Amino acid sequence: MLHVFLAPAPWENWDLFGEQIVAGLATGSIYALVALALVLIYRSTDVINFAQGEMAMFTTFAMWSLTLAGFPAWTVIIIGIGLAGAMGGFIEMTIVRPVENKSALSVVVVTLGLFVLINSLASAIWFKSGEPKTFPTPFSDASVDLGFARVTQHHIGILITALVITGLMYLLFNYTKVGLAMRATAHNPVASRLMGIRVGWMLTLGWMLAAAVGGVGGVLIAHLTYLAPYFMLPVVLYAFAAAVLGGLDSPGGAVAGGFAVGVMENLLGTYTPQDVFGPEMKLPLTLLLLVIVLLVKPSGLFGHAETRRV
């Protein structure tokens, strides 16, 4: 029978459609934050940090420990952001910097090694029992009626937090000397060094910012899932998709790509025929749409195509 294979159309339940859009924007904002972290490092080193999700996971576990110690939620987040930034700076100076001038493959191997190392450390410290943890929300689980949808305050808080961080990053990179120096370093480190910019410090600062932004994303998603050493892996996969969709050299594109991927994921999970695909097909279908977009625009929606003289 045909109706067995048909998913509900959006116009049949506008409340459900509105809820999926808002929830998609909320989860998409987390993808946007992690994608932004990936782009920040890529712009400064031309390498994707495959350990980005594990760094966020480790920071989230550290915040969970502070929560158990009785620290208030917002105090935990502030301390956690500082810890994440310090960890990012330490990793860049001690592990990544010695291979920064080597081949891109060397840096990729180092970040993959960091992935395994950080995951193993978190498992040894916090996951000996093998039971996932729950992480409290800094907002509330109470629902809010927006007129076209009912969503939790946590989802609204995620969206607002992501927009605030994105706005701060925009102001930093466009209206401060430090941000302009970071952009110059990413564009041409040799010329930047000749202009008196401390390129090493700019690279360290880029890693610190990326780790801090990724840590915020980890804290916000941890309440929606269970806290475990592997909980950031699907988030990072969607964030990679978002960064590539928006453009790996475009912070704004990464944010837009995160929102787009979040909405696509929710709508595909709700309105695709469940008897044919099932919820586990959300990621493959999202990636299929990503591939279609990249076939049309390989540099991403907001990326700049690289031109070379031959």
Side-chain angles (χ1 to χ4, degrees):
M1 296 176 65
L2 268 180
H3 71 274
V4 174
F5 301 98
L6 297 179
W11 54 83
E12 294 178 2
N13 190 338
W14 284 111
D15 288 342
L16 175 62
F17 181 71
E19 289 170 5
Q20 295 305 312
I21 291 293
V22 176
L25 290 173
T27 55
S29 64
I30 297 175
Y31 304 152
L33 289 177
V34 180
L36 178 60
L38 292 168
V39 168
L40 286 175
I41 292 179
Y42 179 79
R43 280 167 60 90
S44 61
T45 63
D46 285 332
V47 170
I48 292 293
N49 178 20
F50 289 97
Q52 189 69 59
E54 303 310 288
M55 292 167 63
M57 175 271 294
F58 194 91
T59 303
T60 306
F61 263 115
M63 295 189 203
W64 176 77
S65 296
L66 293 175
T67 301
L68 291 184
F71 285 85
W74 286 105
T75 303
V76 167
I77 291 177
I78 293 172
I79 295 175
I81 291 174
L83 289 174
M87 179 174 67
F90 176 79
I91 288 175
E92 193 280 330
M93 288 188 293
T94 60
I95 300 177
V96 177
R97 186 172 297 184
V99 297
E100 278 180 351
N101 295 324
K102 308 294 182 180
S103 66
L105 180 60
S106 299
V107 185
V108 169
V109 171
V110 167
T111 60
L112 288 174
L114 280 172
F115 177 99
V116 177
L117 175 63
I118 296 173
N119 189 281
S120 300
L121 282 175
S123 299
I125 297 172
W126 290 292
F127 209 63
K128 294 179 180 179
S129 65
E131 297 180 1
K133 324 294 183 184
T134 57
F135 197 92
T137 173
F139 304 106
S140 172
D141 284 321
S143 296
V144 177
D145 190 353
L146 301 179
F148 58 90
R150 290 189 64 85
V151 294
T152 65
Q153 293 182 22
H154 183 76
H155 281 92
I156 296 175
I158 290 175
L159 183 57
I160 293 175
T161 301
L163 292 175
V164 169
I165 291 177
T166 302
L168 291 175
M169 290 295 103
Y170 176 81
L171 294 175
L172 171 68
F173 285 112
N174 290 279
Y175 296 101
T176 68
K177 291 183 178 179
V178 172
L180 292 175
M182 291 180 66
R183 290 174 59 189
T185 299
H187 181 69
N188 193 327
V190 176
S192 299
R193 189 174 285 109
L194 293 175
M195 295 296 294
I197 296 175
R198 302 179 68 178
V199 172
W201 282 111
M202 293 301 103
L203 296 177
T204 300
L205 182 58
W207 274 77
M208 293 176 67
L209 285 174
V213 171
V216 173
V219 169
L220 295 177
I221 196 66
H223 177 69
L224 301 177
T225 63
Y226 287 106
L227 183 56
Y230 46 79
F231 91 101
M232 280 296 293
L233 182 57
V235 178
V236 171
L237 290 176
Y238 281 115
F240 274 128
V244 174
L245 178 63
L248 279 170
D249 61 345
S250 173
V255 173
F259 286 123
V261 169
V263 172
M264 281 193 297
E265 176 202 8
N266 270 35
L267 293 181
L268 287 172
T270 302
Y271 294 108
T272 52
Q274 298 298 306
D275 293 331
V276 178
F277 296 109
E280 67 276 1
M281 289 297 293
K282 289 191 299 181
L283 178 58
L285 288 173
T286 302
L287 295 180
L288 176 61
L289 290 177
L290 171 66
V291 169
I292 293 173
V293 172
L294 293 181
L295 287 175
V296 178
K297 199 171 189 304
S299 59
L301 295 178
F302 301 95
H304 302 287
E306 184 179 355
T307 57
R308 295 183 180 180
R309 292 183 178 179
V310 293

